[in-house]
Each structure stands twice: as C-alpha cells, then as structure tokens.
Amino acid sequence: MIRHLLRRLRGTLGNALVWASTFFLAAFPVVAVFWVISAGSFPFWSAVLGTARLYGGMGFLAGGAFSLYLGIVGRKRRLSELRPGWVAWGTGLTVCLLLPPLGVFLAGAPVSIAAQVALITGVLAGVTALAQVKIAQKALAPGERGHDELEPRQEGLLPVFEEDTV
C-alpha cells in the first residue's frame, strides 16, 4: 500500500513540475505582449522573471490540483473514456476552490487578491487540462481504448533467472 501511495505521489509531483515549467515559460510571451502594448514603459527582464516566478508557483499548485481531481474522478476510467471538457471544468473549479485558502493562509494575501489570482489560474488550469487530455487521447492508436490503470507489481532491479538443475 505504501508503494502505491508513493507512486501516486511521485506522479502528482511530476505532473505539478511539468505544469510549473509550462506556466513559467508562458510568462515570457505574456510579458512581451504587455511590454509592446505599453511601448516599453517598464523593465522587461525583471518583469519576465517576476511574472515567471509567480506563474511557475501557480502552475505547480494547479498541476497538483489537476492530479488530485483526475485521481478522484478518473480513477476507474480509461483515457479514452475521459471527457476533456468535464476534466477542464473540474480542474478549473478545483483550482478556484483550493488556491484562495492557500493564498490567504500561506502567503498572507488579501482575500480579494487571492480570489482574483485563483480565478485567473483556474481558467489557465482548465485550458491546460483540456489540452493535456486531448493530446493524450490523440496519442492513442485508432481503435485503442487506452491502458488499464497501472496496478502495482513487484519489480526488481535485475531480472531473476532460474537455474537449470539436471
């Protein structure tokens, strides 16, 4: 049971890191658009790094929320059975519900700011979840239903060979 739990935790952390890096990289074009619109009225690189840090943190939390939501709702379903729209809505709602308390209690942010950040991150998380499920479903071969949920099994580092005894 502990192996199963550690495997799920590893998957959640891996997914959260992927989302964090994606959101981190998304900060560059967002800041670039605002910098061009404002005719360069603010220092570009400091704004990119500050925004990237914020987006990366929000992406990490949103990726964890996505894993939590998918682990609860999609537990006994195959990949082909998931409805991307519902996964997107559920992920966005989960992020919108989980982030404000974290922002208020952990970061000391005012409730209104935490709610605004959660709403924006929820929308981004919904779009990211939609894309992630659609891409994963497109990767399935035609007619393939997807893999069953991976069950924990005994795996050794080296294969065990039986010796022939005559």
Side-chain angles (χ1 to χ4, degrees):
M1 179 170 143
I2 194 77
R3 274 191 168 162
H4 186 64
L5 181 64
L6 289 175
R7 188 176 57 104
R8 285 190 181 271
L9 182 60
R10 184 183 67 213
T12 299
L13 288 174
N15 194 55
L17 287 172
V18 167
W19 279 46
S21 62
T22 303
F23 278 40
F24 184 88
L25 293 174
F28 182 81
V30 169
V31 173
V33 166
F34 283 112
W35 188 74
V36 168
I37 290 172
S38 70
S41 64
F42 57 87
F44 181 73
W45 287 109
S46 63
V48 166
L49 293 177
T51 305
R53 190 182 70 208
L54 174 69
Y55 279 21
M58 293 298 108
F60 184 83
L61 294 174
F66 169 73
S67 291
L68 174 70
Y69 174 76
L70 202 57
I72 292 169
V73 174
R75 176 173 296 224
K76 299 293 181 188
R77 296 184 183 175
R78 294 173 181 257
L79 177 60
S80 62
E81 296 171 348
L82 292 177
R83 296 179 64 192
W86 284 106
V87 172
W89 277 105
T91 300
L93 185 61
T94 304
V95 168
C96 285
L97 292 174
L98 291 180
L99 281 187
L102 288 174
V104 170
F105 294 118
L106 295 180
V111 174
S112 61
I113 299 295
Q116 290 172 5
V117 169
L119 181 62
I120 292 168
T121 307
V123 170
L124 292 173
V127 170
T128 305
L130 177 73
Q132 187 171 358
V133 172
K134 287 286 237 183
I135 289 170
Q137 287 178 339
K138 289 264 187 201
L140 293 174
E144 185 180 5
R145 293 182 48 205
H147 300 289
D148 290 331
E149 182 181 358
L150 296 175
E151 293 297 324
R153 62 178 188 249
Q154 297 293 335
E155 294 183 16
L157 294 176
L158 297 173
V160 177
F161 297 104
E162 294 180 22
E163 295 183 25
D164 290 333
T165 55
V166 182

